[in-house]
Amino acid sequence: MELRVAHLYPEVMNLYGDRGNAIALRARCQRRGIACTILPVNIGDPLDPGEVDIVLVGGGQDREQRRIAPDLLRRGPALRDAVDAGLPVLAVCGGYQLFGHRYVDHDGSVIPGIGVFDAETRHPGPVADRCIGDIVVETPFGEVVGFENHGGRTYLAPGQEPLGTVRLGRGNNAEDRTEGARRKNAIGTYLHGSVLPKNPALADALILAALRRRYGPSVELPPLDDAPERRAHEAALRTALARARSPV
């Protein structure tokens, strides 16, 4: 078996080491004998979402989001159709924001998104506190740990499923205890860190969804010895419990 992972804008959207998500997916595939090719997709490069198995996009600051937004908008209809057909996606921070409907800056300027998630991000203004620090989230994939650092507040529309519920940290908006968003096999999240190396169940959920989409619903993933990943997860959890502020 083999998988093709499209990594969108890896040179531009790589805040806080989000490139590690691609490395983690490839490593977990290779340990199982699954060939995994990472395909960098930069501005202007061709991409047919129907020809890849997973799409990754990392985080970036406002200037990086403005830089990629026109190119991403051009790809939007095809990406939405592919997500509706089951394409797994991991969109982190700035990438997550642009996979919503729009990002509204503190001065009212708008960076349009592609509407994979029924969500909007708004910046509360330069004097507002950033959502920054360690974060722990309860999700359908188990407990997920990471690091968040974002000024924008993301608000999910009624009916839009979050990735999970914040146990410690701020999450989407520091108000409603939601974190991230899910649409079929597409996941948006604010968790950097990188998130996948220390949350192997989340990584495996993306891999399994991709394999079943390509090879059929009977595919199963053989277990791995995740001792190093568990140690990384537990270390991050201890740090979060010691330092992160509980949500209101």
Side-chain angles (χ1 to χ4, degrees):
M1 293 188 291
E2 63 178 354
L3 292 178
R4 291 161 57 88
V5 178
H7 190 177
L8 303 186
Y9 319 115
E11 302 301 325
V12 179
M13 304 291 281
N14 184 37
L15 198 62
Y16 306 118
D18 291 327
R19 189 189 307 274
N21 293 320
I23 296 170
L25 287 178
R26 181 170 56 195
R28 294 188 70 77
C29 283
Q30 290 176 341
R31 289 168 62 190
R32 294 180 167 105
I34 302 166
C36 181
T37 302
I38 308 297
L39 305 169
V41 180
N42 294 299
I43 293 172
D45 288 348
L47 171 66
D48 179 353
E51 297 298 319
V52 299
D53 302 295
I54 300 175
V55 168
L56 301 178
V57 58
Q61 297 181 2
D62 292 3
R63 63 178 178 272
E64 283 83 21
Q65 290 176 256
R66 290 189 177 92
R67 181 178 170 189
I68 69 164
D71 188 80
L72 183 61
L73 282 174
R74 177 177 61 83
R75 306 180 193 275
L79 284 167
R80 287 194 302 273
D81 288 346
V83 167
D84 285 340
L87 176 68
V89 172
L90 178 65
V92 177
C93 200
Y96 166 38
Q97 292 173 350
L98 292 188
F99 270 61
H101 293 301
R102 64 192 63 82
Y103 173 83
V104 183
D105 206 347
H106 64 88
D107 60 2
S109 60
V110 175
I111 306 175
I114 63 173
V116 167
F117 303 117
D118 194 3
E120 176 180 285
T121 302
R122 301 189 292 273
H123 198 292
V127 300
D129 291 338
R130 292 184 66 82
C131 297
I132 182 171
D134 303 292
I135 180 169
V136 181
V137 184
E138 301 298 336
T139 81
F141 312 102
E143 178 185 75
V144 174
V145 297
F147 177 81
E148 60 179 339
N149 186 355
H150 55 101
R153 270 57 165 174
T154 296
Y155 297 90
L156 307 181
Q160 171 61 66
E161 186 178 6
L163 170 60
T165 301
V166 175
R167 176 181 169 193
L168 293 171
R170 302 294 186 86
N172 280 333
N173 50 54
E175 298 171 21
D176 60 17
R177 298 187 64 198
T178 65
E179 205 294 311
R182 293 178 62 203
R183 177 176 174 180
K184 294 200 170 181
N185 294 321
I187 293 171
T189 181
Y190 275 113
L191 273 66
H192 296 285
S194 312
V195 64
L196 295 186
K198 53 182 172 285
N199 295 285
L202 185 60
D204 282 354
L206 293 168
I207 294 169
L208 183 59
L211 290 172
R212 287 179 172 175
R213 180 170 174 261
R214 174 178 273 213
Y215 296 105
S218 64
V219 173
E220 298 292 342
L221 283 181
L224 296 176
D225 177 6
D226 282 334
E229 290 84 352
R230 287 197 300 270
R231 288 195 295 270
H233 180 99
E234 290 163 2
L237 178 61
R238 286 194 300 271
T239 300
L241 292 173
R243 299 193 309 193
R245 181 166 63 186
S246 297
V248 176

